[in-house]
Coordinates of all heavy atoms in Angstrom, one line a residue:
M1 N 19.9 -33.1 15.3 CA 19.5 -32.1 14.4 C 18.9 -32.5 13.2 O 19.2 -33.6 12.6 CB 20.8 -31.3 14.0 CG 21.3 -30.5 15.1 SD 22.3 -29.2 14.6 CE 23.6 -30.0 13.8
E2 N 18.0 -31.9 12.5 CA 17.2 -32.2 11.4 C 16.8 -31.0 10.5 O 16.8 -29.8 11.0 CB 15.8 -32.7 11.9 CG 15.2 -33.9 11.0 CD 13.9 -34.4 11.7 OE1 13.8 -34.0 12.9 OE2 13.2 -34.9 10.9
L3 N 16.8 -31.3 9.2 CA 16.6 -30.2 8.3 C 15.2 -30.2 8.0 O 14.5 -31.1 7.5 CB 17.3 -30.6 6.9 CG 17.8 -29.4 6.1 CD1 18.7 -28.4 6.8 CD2 18.6 -30.0 4.9
V4 N 14.5 -29.2 8.6 CA 13.0 -29.1 8.3 C 12.6 -27.8 7.9 O 13.3 -26.7 8.0 CB 12.4 -29.2 9.9 CG1 12.7 -30.6 10.5 CG2 12.7 -28.2 10.8
C5 N 11.4 -27.8 7.3 CA 10.8 -26.6 6.7 C 10.0 -25.9 7.9 O 9.3 -26.4 8.6 CB 9.8 -27.0 5.7 SG 8.7 -25.5 5.2
P6 N 10.5 -24.7 8.1 CA 10.0 -24.0 9.3 C 8.4 -23.7 9.0 O 7.8 -23.6 10.1 CB 10.8 -22.7 9.3 CG 11.4 -22.5 7.9 CD 11.5 -24.0 7.4
L7 N 8.0 -23.6 7.8 CA 6.5 -23.4 7.6 C 5.7 -24.6 7.9 O 4.7 -24.5 8.6 CB 6.3 -23.0 6.2 CG 6.2 -21.5 6.0 CD1 7.5 -20.7 6.3 CD2 5.8 -21.1 4.6
C8 N 6.3 -25.8 7.5 CA 5.5 -27.0 7.8 C 5.4 -27.2 9.2 O 4.4 -28.1 9.7 CB 6.2 -28.1 7.0 SG 6.0 -28.2 5.2
N9 N 6.4 -26.9 10.0 CA 6.5 -27.3 11.4 C 5.9 -26.0 12.3 O 6.0 -26.1 13.5 CB 8.0 -27.6 11.8 CG 8.3 -28.9 11.1 OD1 8.1 -29.9 11.7 ND2 8.8 -28.9 9.9
G10 N 5.4 -25.1 11.7 CA 4.7 -24.0 12.4 C 5.9 -23.2 13.1 O 5.4 -22.5 14.1
L11 N 7.1 -23.2 12.7 CA 8.0 -22.4 13.4 C 8.2 -21.1 12.8 O 8.8 -20.2 13.5 CB 9.4 -23.1 13.3 CG 9.4 -24.7 13.8 CD1 10.6 -25.3 13.2 CD2 9.4 -24.5 15.4
D12 N 7.8 -20.9 11.7 CA 7.9 -19.5 11.1 C 6.8 -19.3 10.1 O 6.1 -20.3 9.7 CB 9.3 -19.5 10.3 CG 9.7 -18.1 10.1 OD1 9.0 -17.2 10.5 OD2 10.8 -18.0 9.5
K13 N 6.6 -18.1 9.8 CA 5.6 -17.7 8.6 C 6.2 -16.9 7.6 O 7.0 -16.0 7.8 CB 4.4 -17.0 9.3 CG 3.5 -18.0 10.1 CD 2.0 -17.7 9.5 CE 1.0 -18.7 10.1 NZ 0.9 -19.9 9.4
V14 N 5.8 -17.1 6.4 CA 6.3 -16.3 5.3 C 5.1 -15.6 4.7 O 4.2 -16.4 4.2 CB 7.0 -17.1 4.3 CG1 7.3 -16.3 3.1 CG2 8.4 -17.7 4.9
H15 N 5.0 -14.3 4.7 CA 3.9 -13.6 4.1 C 4.2 -13.1 2.7 O 5.1 -12.5 2.6 CB 3.5 -12.5 5.1 CG 3.0 -12.9 6.4 ND1 1.7 -13.6 6.5 CD2 3.7 -12.9 7.5 CE1 1.6 -13.9 7.9 NE2 2.8 -13.5 8.4
K16 N 3.4 -13.5 1.9 CA 3.6 -13.1 0.4 C 2.4 -12.2 0.0 O 1.4 -12.4 0.6 CB 3.6 -14.3 -0.5 CG 4.6 -15.2 -0.3 CD 6.0 -14.6 -0.6 CE 6.4 -14.4 -2.0 NZ 7.8 -13.9 -2.1
I17 N 2.8 -11.2 -0.6 CA 1.8 -10.2 -1.2 C 1.5 -10.4 -2.6 O 2.4 -10.6 -3.4 CB 2.3 -8.8 -1.0 CG1 2.5 -8.5 0.6 CG2 1.2 -7.8 -1.5 CD1 1.4 -8.5 1.5
C18 N 0.2 -10.5 -2.9 CA -0.3 -10.8 -4.3 C 0.3 -9.7 -5.1 O 0.1 -8.5 -4.9 CB -1.9 -10.7 -4.3 SG -2.4 -11.0 -6.0
K19 N 0.9 -10.1 -6.3 CA 1.4 -9.1 -7.2 C 0.3 -8.4 -8.0 O 0.7 -7.5 -8.7 CB 2.5 -9.7 -8.0 CG 2.2 -10.6 -9.0 CD 3.3 -11.0 -10.1 CE 4.1 -12.2 -9.4 NZ 5.1 -12.7 -10.5
I20 N -0.8 -9.2 -8.1 CA -1.9 -8.6 -8.8 C -2.8 -7.4 -8.1 O -2.8 -6.3 -8.6 CB -2.9 -9.6 -9.3 CG1 -2.1 -10.9 -10.0 CG2 -3.9 -9.0 -10.2 CD1 -1.5 -10.5 -11.3
C21 N -3.1 -7.7 -6.8 CA -4.0 -6.7 -6.1 C -3.3 -6.5 -4.8 O -4.1 -5.8 -3.9 CB -5.4 -7.5 -5.9 SG -5.4 -8.9 -5.0
Q22 N -2.1 -6.8 -4.5 CA -1.5 -6.4 -3.2 C -2.1 -7.0 -1.9 O -1.9 -6.4 -0.9 CB -1.3 -4.9 -3.2 CG -0.9 -4.2 -4.4 CD 0.5 -4.8 -5.0 OE1 1.4 -4.8 -4.1 NE2 0.6 -5.0 -6.2
E23 N -2.9 -7.9 -2.1 CA -3.5 -8.5 -0.9 C -2.5 -9.5 -0.3 O -1.8 -10.2 -1.1 CB -5.0 -9.2 -1.2 CG -6.1 -8.2 -1.5 CD -6.5 -7.5 -0.2 OE1 -6.7 -8.1 0.7 OE2 -6.6 -6.3 -0.3
P24 N -2.7 -9.8 1.0 CA -1.9 -10.9 1.5 C -2.3 -12.3 1.0 O -3.5 -12.4 1.0 CB -2.1 -10.8 3.0 CG -3.3 -9.9 3.2 CD -3.4 -9.2 1.9
M25 N -1.3 -13.1 0.6 CA -1.6 -14.3 -0.1 C -1.7 -15.4 1.2 O -1.1 -15.2 2.2 CB -0.7 -14.9 -1.0 CG -0.9 -13.9 -2.2 SD 0.5 -14.3 -3.5 CE -0.2 -15.7 -4.3
E26 N -2.5 -16.5 1.0 CA -2.5 -17.5 2.1 C -1.7 -18.7 1.7 O -1.7 -19.2 0.5 CB -4.0 -17.9 2.1 CG -4.4 -18.5 3.5 CD -5.9 -18.8 3.5 OE1 -6.5 -17.7 3.5 OE2 -6.3 -19.8 3.7
D27 N -1.1 -19.2 2.8 CA -0.2 -20.3 2.6 C -1.1 -21.5 2.6 O -1.9 -21.9 3.5 CB 0.7 -20.4 3.7 CG 1.7 -21.7 3.7 OD1 1.7 -22.3 2.5 OD2 2.5 -22.0 4.6
K28 N -1.1 -22.3 1.4 CA -1.9 -23.4 1.2 C -1.3 -24.7 1.6 O -1.7 -25.8 1.5 CB -2.5 -23.5 -0.1 CG -3.5 -22.5 -0.5 CD -4.7 -22.5 0.4 CE -5.8 -21.6 -0.1 NZ -6.9 -21.5 0.9
G29 N 0.0 -24.5 2.2 CA 0.6 -25.7 2.6 C 1.6 -26.2 1.5 O 1.9 -25.6 0.5
A30 N 2.5 -27.3 2.0 CA 3.7 -27.6 1.1 C 2.9 -28.4 0.0 O 1.9 -29.0 -0.1 CB 4.5 -28.6 1.8
L31 N 3.7 -28.2 -1.2 CA 3.2 -28.9 -2.4 C 3.2 -30.4 -2.3 O 2.4 -31.1 -2.9 CB 4.1 -28.4 -3.6 CG 3.6 -27.2 -4.4 CD1 4.4 -27.3 -5.7 CD2 2.1 -27.4 -4.7
V32 N 4.1 -31.0 -1.5 CA 4.1 -32.5 -1.3 C 2.7 -33.0 -0.9 O 2.5 -34.0 -1.2 CB 5.3 -32.9 -0.4 CG1 6.6 -32.9 -1.1 CG2 5.2 -32.1 0.8
N33 N 2.0 -32.1 -0.1 CA 0.8 -32.6 0.3 C -0.2 -32.8 -0.8 O -1.3 -33.4 -0.6 CB 0.1 -31.4 1.3 CG 0.9 -31.4 2.6 OD1 1.7 -32.4 2.9 ND2 0.9 -30.2 3.2
Y34 N 0.0 -32.3 -2.1 CA -0.9 -32.5 -3.0 C -0.6 -33.7 -3.8 O -1.4 -34.0 -4.8 CB -0.8 -31.2 -4.1 CG -1.2 -29.9 -3.4 CD1 -0.5 -29.1 -2.5 CD2 -2.6 -29.5 -3.8 CE1 -1.1 -28.0 -2.0 CE2 -3.1 -28.3 -3.2 CZ -2.4 -27.6 -2.3 OH -2.8 -26.4 -1.7
Y35 N 0.5 -34.4 -3.6 CA 0.9 -35.4 -4.4 C -0.2 -36.6 -4.2 O -0.4 -37.5 -4.9 CB 2.2 -36.2 -3.9 CG 3.4 -35.4 -4.5 CD1 4.3 -34.7 -3.7 CD2 3.6 -35.4 -6.0 CE1 5.3 -34.0 -4.4 CE2 4.6 -34.6 -6.4 CZ 5.5 -34.0 -5.7 OH 6.5 -33.4 -6.3
D36 N -0.9 -36.5 -3.0 CA -2.0 -37.6 -2.8 C -3.2 -37.4 -3.8 O -4.0 -38.2 -3.8 CB -2.3 -37.6 -1.4 CG -1.3 -38.1 -0.4 OD1 -0.5 -38.8 -1.0 OD2 -1.3 -37.8 0.7
D37 N -3.3 -36.2 -4.3 CA -4.5 -35.9 -5.1 C -4.5 -36.8 -6.5 O -3.5 -37.0 -6.9 CB -4.5 -34.5 -5.5 CG -4.9 -33.5 -4.4 OD1 -5.4 -34.1 -3.3 OD2 -5.0 -32.4 -4.5
Y38 N -5.7 -37.2 -6.8 CA -5.7 -38.1 -8.0 C -6.0 -37.2 -9.2 O -6.9 -37.4 -9.9 CB -6.9 -39.1 -7.8 CG -6.6 -40.1 -6.6 CD1 -7.2 -39.9 -5.5 CD2 -5.8 -41.2 -6.8 CE1 -6.9 -40.8 -4.5 CE2 -5.4 -42.1 -5.9 CZ -6.2 -41.8 -4.7 OH -5.9 -42.8 -3.7
S39 N -5.1 -36.3 -9.4 CA -5.2 -35.3 -10.7 C -3.9 -35.4 -11.4 O -2.9 -34.9 -10.9 CB -5.6 -34.0 -10.1 OG -5.4 -33.1 -11.3
P40 N -4.1 -36.1 -12.4 CA -2.8 -36.2 -13.5 C -2.2 -34.9 -13.8 O -1.1 -34.6 -13.8 CB -3.3 -37.0 -14.5 CG -4.6 -37.7 -14.2 CD -5.1 -36.8 -13.0
Y41 N -3.3 -34.0 -14.0 CA -2.9 -32.6 -14.5 C -2.1 -31.9 -13.5 O -1.0 -31.3 -13.7 CB -4.1 -31.9 -14.9 CG -3.8 -30.4 -15.2 CD1 -3.2 -30.0 -16.3 CD2 -4.2 -29.5 -14.2 CE1 -2.8 -28.5 -16.4 CE2 -3.9 -28.2 -14.3 CZ -3.3 -27.7 -15.4 OH -3.0 -26.4 -15.7
L42 N -2.6 -31.9 -12.2 CA -1.9 -31.3 -11.0 C -0.5 -31.9 -10.8 O 0.5 -31.2 -10.7 CB -2.8 -31.4 -9.9 CG -2.4 -30.6 -8.6 CD1 -2.4 -29.1 -9.0 CD2 -3.2 -30.9 -7.4
L43 N -0.4 -33.2 -11.0 CA 0.8 -33.8 -10.8 C 1.9 -33.6 -11.9 O 3.0 -33.2 -11.5 CB 0.6 -35.5 -10.9 CG 1.5 -36.3 -9.9 CD1 1.2 -35.8 -8.5 CD2 1.1 -37.7 -10.1
D44 N 1.4 -33.3 -13.1 CA 2.2 -32.8 -14.2 C 2.8 -31.5 -14.0 O 4.0 -31.2 -14.0 CB 1.6 -32.8 -15.5 CG 1.6 -34.1 -16.2 OD1 2.2 -35.0 -15.6 OD2 1.0 -34.2 -17.3
E45 N 2.0 -30.7 -13.4 CA 2.3 -29.3 -13.1 C 3.3 -29.2 -11.9 O 4.2 -28.4 -12.0 CB 1.0 -28.6 -12.7 CG 1.2 -27.0 -12.8 CD -0.1 -26.3 -12.2 OE1 -0.7 -26.7 -11.3 OE2 -0.4 -25.3 -13.0
I46 N 3.0 -30.1 -10.9 CA 4.0 -30.1 -9.8 C 5.4 -30.5 -10.2 O 6.3 -29.9 -9.9 CB 3.5 -31.0 -8.7 CG1 2.2 -30.4 -7.9 CG2 4.6 -31.2 -7.7 CD1 1.6 -31.3 -7.2
T47 N 5.3 -31.6 -11.1 CA 6.6 -32.1 -11.6 C 7.5 -31.0 -12.3 O 8.7 -30.9 -12.0 CB 6.4 -33.3 -12.5 OG1 5.5 -34.3 -11.8 CG2 7.7 -34.1 -12.6
S48 N 6.9 -30.5 -13.1 CA 7.5 -29.5 -13.9 C 8.0 -28.3 -13.0 O 9.1 -27.6 -13.3 CB 6.7 -28.8 -14.9 OG 5.6 -28.2 -14.6
K49 N 7.2 -27.9 -12.0 CA 7.7 -26.7 -11.1 C 8.7 -27.1 -10.1 O 9.5 -26.3 -9.6 CB 6.4 -26.3 -10.5 CG 5.6 -25.3 -11.3 CD 4.3 -24.8 -10.7 CE 3.7 -23.9 -11.7 NZ 2.2 -23.7 -11.4
V50 N 8.7 -28.5 -9.7 CA 9.7 -28.9 -8.7 C 11.1 -29.0 -9.3 O 12.1 -29.0 -8.7 CB 9.2 -30.3 -8.3 CG1 10.3 -31.1 -7.5 CG2 8.0 -30.1 -7.3
D51 N 11.2 -29.2 -10.7 CA 12.5 -29.3 -11.3 C 13.2 -28.0 -11.0 O 12.6 -26.9 -11.1 CB 12.1 -29.1 -12.8 CG 12.1 -30.7 -13.3 OD1 12.2 -31.6 -12.5 OD2 11.9 -30.9 -14.5
G52 N 14.4 -28.1 -10.5 CA 15.3 -26.9 -10.3 C 15.1 -26.5 -8.8 O 16.0 -25.6 -8.4
V53 N 14.2 -27.1 -8.1 CA 14.1 -26.7 -6.7 C 15.2 -27.6 -5.9 O 15.1 -28.9 -6.0 CB 12.7 -27.0 -6.2 CG1 12.8 -26.8 -4.7 CG2 11.8 -25.9 -6.8
A54 N 15.9 -27.0 -5.0 CA 16.9 -27.7 -4.3 C 16.3 -28.7 -3.3 O 15.2 -28.5 -2.8 CB 17.9 -26.8 -3.6
Q55 N 17.1 -29.8 -3.0 CA 16.7 -30.8 -2.1 C 16.3 -30.2 -0.7 O 15.5 -30.6 0.1 CB 17.7 -31.8 -1.8 CG 17.7 -32.8 -3.0 CD 16.6 -33.9 -2.7 OE1 16.5 -34.6 -1.6 NE2 15.7 -34.1 -3.6
N56 N 17.0 -29.1 -0.2 CA 16.8 -28.5 0.9 C 15.8 -27.4 1.0 O 15.8 -26.5 1.8 CB 18.2 -27.9 1.5 CG 18.7 -26.9 0.6 OD1 18.3 -26.6 -0.5 ND2 19.6 -26.1 1.1
Q57 N 15.0 -27.4 0.0 CA 13.9 -26.4 -0.1 C 12.6 -27.2 -0.1 O 12.4 -28.3 -0.7 CB 14.0 -25.6 -1.3 CG 15.1 -24.6 -1.3 CD 15.3 -23.7 -2.5 OE1 15.1 -24.1 -3.7 NE2 15.6 -22.5 -2.3
C58 N 11.6 -26.3 0.5 CA 10.2 -27.0 0.5 C 9.3 -26.1 -0.3 O 9.2 -24.9 0.0 CB 9.8 -27.1 2.0 SG 8.1 -27.7 2.1
L59 N 8.7 -26.6 -1.2 CA 7.7 -25.8 -2.1 C 6.3 -25.5 -1.4 O 5.8 -26.5 -1.0 CB 7.5 -26.5 -3.5 CG 8.5 -26.0 -4.7 CD1 7.8 -26.6 -5.9 CD2 8.6 -24.6 -4.7
H60 N 6.1 -24.3 -1.3 CA 4.7 -24.0 -0.7 C 3.8 -23.3 -1.7 O 4.2 -22.5 -2.5 CB 5.0 -23.2 0.6 CG 5.2 -23.9 1.8 ND1 4.2 -24.0 2.8 CD2 6.3 -24.6 2.2 CE1 4.8 -24.8 3.7 NE2 5.9 -25.1 3.4
H61 N 2.6 -23.6 -1.6 CA 1.6 -23.2 -2.6 C 0.9 -22.0 -2.0 O 0.3 -22.1 -0.9 CB 0.7 -24.2 -3.0 CG -0.4 -23.9 -4.0 ND1 0.1 -23.8 -5.4 CD2 -1.6 -23.6 -4.0 CE1 -0.8 -23.4 -6.1 NE2 -2.0 -23.2 -5.3
Y62 N 0.9 -20.9 -2.5 CA 0.3 -19.6 -2.1 C -0.8 -19.2 -2.9 O -0.6 -19.3 -4.2 CB 1.2 -18.5 -1.9 CG 2.2 -18.5 -0.5 CD1 3.2 -19.4 -0.4 CD2 1.7 -17.6 0.5 CE1 3.9 -19.3 0.8 CE2 2.4 -17.7 1.7 CZ 3.5 -18.6 1.8 OH 4.2 -18.6 3.1
R63 N -1.9 -18.8 -2.3 CA -2.9 -18.4 -3.2 C -3.6 -17.1 -2.7 O -3.7 -16.8 -1.4 CB -4.0 -19.5 -3.1 CG -5.2 -19.1 -4.0 CD -6.4 -20.2 -3.8 NE -7.6 -19.8 -4.3 CZ -8.1 -19.9 -5.5 NH1 -7.3 -20.4 -6.5 NH2 -9.1 -19.3 -5.8
C64 N -3.9 -16.2 -3.6 CA -4.7 -15.0 -3.2 C -6.1 -15.3 -3.3 O -6.5 -15.6 -4.3 CB -4.3 -13.8 -4.1 SG -5.4 -12.4 -3.9
E65 N -6.8 -15.1 -2.0 CA -8.2 -15.4 -2.1 C -8.9 -14.4 -2.7 O -10.2 -14.6 -3.0 CB -8.5 -15.5 -0.5 CG -7.9 -16.5 0.4 CD -8.3 -18.0 -0.2 OE1 -9.3 -18.2 -0.8 OE2 -7.6 -18.9 0.0
K66 N -8.6 -13.2 -3.0 CA -9.1 -12.1 -3.6 C -9.3 -12.3 -5.1 O -10.4 -12.3 -5.7 CB -8.7 -10.9 -3.3 CG -9.5 -9.6 -3.5 CD -8.9 -8.4 -3.0 CE -9.8 -7.1 -3.5 NZ -9.1 -5.9 -3.1
C67 N -8.1 -12.5 -5.7 CA -8.2 -12.5 -7.3 C -7.8 -14.0 -7.7 O -8.0 -14.2 -8.9 CB -7.2 -11.6 -7.7 SG -5.5 -12.0 -7.7
G68 N -7.5 -14.9 -6.8 CA -7.2 -16.3 -7.3 C -5.8 -16.5 -7.8 O -5.5 -17.6 -8.3
Y69 N -4.9 -15.5 -7.8 CA -3.7 -15.7 -8.3 C -2.9 -16.7 -7.3 O -3.0 -16.6 -6.1 CB -2.8 -14.3 -8.3 CG -1.5 -14.4 -8.5 CD1 -1.1 -14.6 -9.9 CD2 -0.5 -14.4 -7.6 CE1 0.2 -14.7 -10.2 CE2 0.9 -14.5 -7.9 CZ 1.3 -14.6 -9.4 OH 2.6 -14.7 -9.6
E70 N -2.1 -17.6 -7.9 CA -1.4 -18.7 -7.3 C 0.0 -18.6 -7.6 O 0.4 -18.3 -8.6 CB -2.1 -20.0 -7.6 CG -3.4 -20.1 -7.1 CD -4.0 -21.6 -7.6 OE1 -4.6 -21.5 -8.7 OE2 -3.9 -22.5 -6.9
E71 N 0.8 -19.0 -6.6 CA 2.4 -18.9 -6.8 C 2.8 -20.0 -5.9 O 2.4 -20.3 -4.8 CB 2.9 -17.5 -6.4 CG 4.2 -17.2 -7.1 CD 4.8 -15.8 -6.7 OE1 3.9 -14.9 -6.2 OE2 6.0 -15.6 -7.0
N72 N 3.9 -20.6 -6.4 CA 4.8 -21.6 -5.6 C 6.0 -20.8 -5.0 O 6.7 -20.4 -5.9 CB 5.1 -22.8 -6.5 CG 3.8 -23.5 -6.7 OD1 2.9 -23.7 -6.0 ND2 3.7 -24.0 -7.9
I73 N 6.2 -21.0 -3.7 CA 7.3 -20.4 -3.2 C 8.3 -21.4 -2.5 O 7.8 -22.3 -1.8 CB 6.9 -19.4 -2.0 CG1 5.8 -18.6 -2.4 CG2 8.1 -18.6 -1.6 CD1 6.1 -17.4 -3.5
A74 N 9.5 -21.3 -3.0 CA 10.5 -22.4 -2.4 C 11.1 -21.8 -1.0 O 11.6 -20.8 -0.9 CB 11.6 -22.5 -3.4
I75 N 10.8 -22.6 0.0 CA 11.1 -22.3 1.3 C 12.4 -22.9 1.8 O 12.5 -24.2 1.6 CB 10.1 -22.5 2.4 CG1 8.7 -21.8 1.9 CG2 10.4 -22.0 3.8 CD1 8.7 -20.4 1.9
D76 N 13.4 -22.4 2.2 CA 14.7 -22.9 2.6 C 14.5 -23.8 3.9 O 13.9 -23.2 4.9 CB 15.9 -22.0 2.9 CG 16.3 -21.3 1.6 OD1 16.3 -22.2 0.5 OD2 16.7 -20.2 1.4
R77 N 14.8 -25.0 3.9 CA 14.6 -25.7 5.1 C 15.8 -25.4 6.0 O 16.9 -24.9 5.6 CB 14.8 -27.2 4.8 CG 13.6 -27.8 4.1 CD 13.5 -29.4 4.2 NE 12.3 -29.8 3.7 CZ 12.1 -30.3 2.6 NH1 13.1 -30.5 1.7 NH2 11.0 -30.9 2.2
E78 N 15.6 -25.4 7.3 CA 16.6 -24.9 8.3 C 16.9 -26.2 9.3 O 16.1 -27.0 9.5 CB 16.1 -23.8 9.2 CG 15.9 -22.6 8.2 CD 15.2 -21.5 9.0 OE1 15.2 -21.3 10.1 OE2 14.7 -20.6 8.2
I79 N 18.0 -26.1 9.9 CA 18.5 -27.0 10.9 C 18.0 -26.7 12.3 O 18.2 -25.6 12.8 CB 20.1 -27.2 10.8 CG1 20.5 -27.7 9.5 CG2 20.4 -28.1 12.1 CD1 22.0 -27.6 9.3
F80 N 17.2 -27.6 12.9 CA 16.8 -27.4 14.2 C 17.3 -28.6 15.2 O 17.5 -29.7 14.7 CB 15.2 -27.4 14.2 CG 14.6 -26.1 13.7 CD1 14.4 -26.1 12.4 CD2 14.5 -25.0 14.5 CE1 13.8 -24.9 11.8 CE2 14.0 -23.9 14.0 CZ 13.7 -23.8 12.7
Ligands
LIG1 ZN1 7.2 -26.8 3.9
LIG2 ZN1 -4.8 -11.1 -5.6

């Protein structure tokens, strides 16, 4: 058994609605995938947002393609 993020493993989908324009937001993937980016600003932002997120949660980055609104959603990892 393993604690895995259902979104990262394609086992589940979480649909978020943009709070600005009510359009469906797109899952841009887990935030950990962004750690490879060479952007100190982005890294700072992630670090501050990851604070307070439980170890058994996976942060996903959602973005509304219509208005550009972005949100990070903490997804609970599940045992498979
Ligand atoms: Zn994930
Ligand atoms: Zn929007």
Side-chain angles (χ1 to χ4, degrees):
M1 288 202 297
E2 209 180 342
L3 211 52
V4 297
C5 168
L7 264 64
C8 287
N9 290 273
L11 301 163
D12 202 1
K13 283 235 174 264
V14 173
H15 296 285
K16 296 298 288 184
I17 300 297
C18 173
K19 68 170 92 171
I20 311 291
C21 60
Q22 315 301 316
E23 286 289 311
M25 295 175 80
E26 199 170 307
D27 180 9
K28 291 300 188 183
L31 268 193
V32 284
N33 296 336
Y34 290 84
Y35 280 122
D36 288 338
D37 284 358
Y38 294 101
S39 164
Y41 168 74
L42 191 64
L43 216 57
D44 271 1
E45 198 183 38
I46 290 170
T47 312
S48 63
K49 276 174 184 163
V50 165
D51 272 356
V53 172
Q55 276 281 304
N56 62 345
Q57 288 182 319
C58 181
L59 265 193
H60 276 253
H61 188 71
Y62 276 78
R63 181 183 160 88
C64 172
E65 299 294 341
K66 196 174 175 190
C67 74
Y69 175 74
E70 295 175 271
E71 199 173 350
N72 295 321
I73 314 290
I75 307 294
D76 288 325
R77 291 198 168 98
E78 292 170 28
I79 294 171
F80 286 94

